[in-house]
Amino acid sequence: MAWGFPVPTLDAELRARALRLLARREHSRAELRRKLAPHAGEDFDLDPLLDDFTKRGWLSEERFVEQTVRVKARKYGPLKIAHHLREKGIDAQGVEKGLAQAKAEEGEALASAWRARFGRAPRDEVERAKQVRFLQQRGFSLGPIMAFLKSLP
């Protein structure tokens, strides 16, 4: 005890740090492990802490996928969202769920991204190609892009 206060243990410090991170936004298990690892000792095992958080419902891959898709679908297509989920350590089954959710909202997201950037139909093939490239970079598939552009007046 220093100055009459209990000295926090490494486990308590990591638990508090993890709770602060989760209070801000949802994290995947792999992402939370990556953020906690520099603060844990080399021989400290993070799995029991992460298992406890999962058991208590504080850490949930399903909630992370749902929140990520909900936030990213406003601006990006299903392919980019799936790539982002894979980067965050989500397994194939979770990525498939997220992809299905994103594809359900793809038409609206595609129109929203197009309106925010262009707002008018392409005048010629050069401008059409530019719009297609932009939407593909945002993670939309070529089929839905072409169908959308053909539906424009």
Side-chain angles (χ1 to χ4, degrees):
M1 288 182 114
W3 300 85
F5 297 107
V7 178
T9 64
L10 179 60
D11 185 48
E13 288 178 18
L14 286 174
R15 182 174 292 276
R17 182 178 296 277
L19 284 173
R20 282 193 307 273
L21 289 168
L22 289 171
R24 291 185 190 126
R25 68 169 177 86
E26 294 291 337
H27 287 70
S28 69
R29 185 179 179 101
E31 183 181 25
L32 191 58
R33 175 190 307 281
R34 182 183 52 76
K35 288 183 176 184
L36 292 176
H39 305 283
E42 288 182 21
D43 51 342
F44 189 85
D45 186 16
L46 289 170
D47 283 327
L49 177 68
L50 298 175
D51 290 341
D52 181 47
F53 276 35
T54 302
K55 185 179 80 180
R56 292 174 186 255
W58 298 342
L59 178 64
S60 170
E61 299 265 319
E62 293 83 22
R63 266 197 328 262
F64 174 76
V65 170
E66 289 172 9
Q67 180 194 35
T68 301
V69 171
R70 191 171 45 253
V71 169
K72 300 269 184 205
R74 297 179 194 145
K75 194 173 180 181
Y76 300 106
L79 301 175
K80 190 135 187 153
I81 293 170
H83 178 73
H84 177 76
L85 291 173
R86 280 187 214 98
E87 281 183 337
K88 296 297 180 179
I90 301 298
D91 62 1
Q93 184 181 5
V95 171
E96 283 301 317
K97 276 185 174 179
L99 198 54
Q101 184 182 349
K103 282 191 184 239
E105 303 168 13
E106 183 176 23
E108 184 179 316
L110 176 63
S112 175
W114 178 83
R115 265 193 311 278
R117 178 76 162 102
F118 301 106
R120 62 182 171 84
R123 289 182 294 225
D124 56 12
E125 288 304 312
V126 172
E127 194 172 330
R128 178 183 219 70
K130 180 179 178 181
Q131 291 184 9
V132 168
R133 277 192 310 274
F134 171 79
L135 293 169
Q136 282 183 313
Q137 288 171 348
R138 285 292 173 104
F140 296 101
S141 300
L142 187 58
I145 292 172
M146 297 310 287
F148 173 78
L149 291 176
K150 283 180 184 175
S151 71
L152 295 174

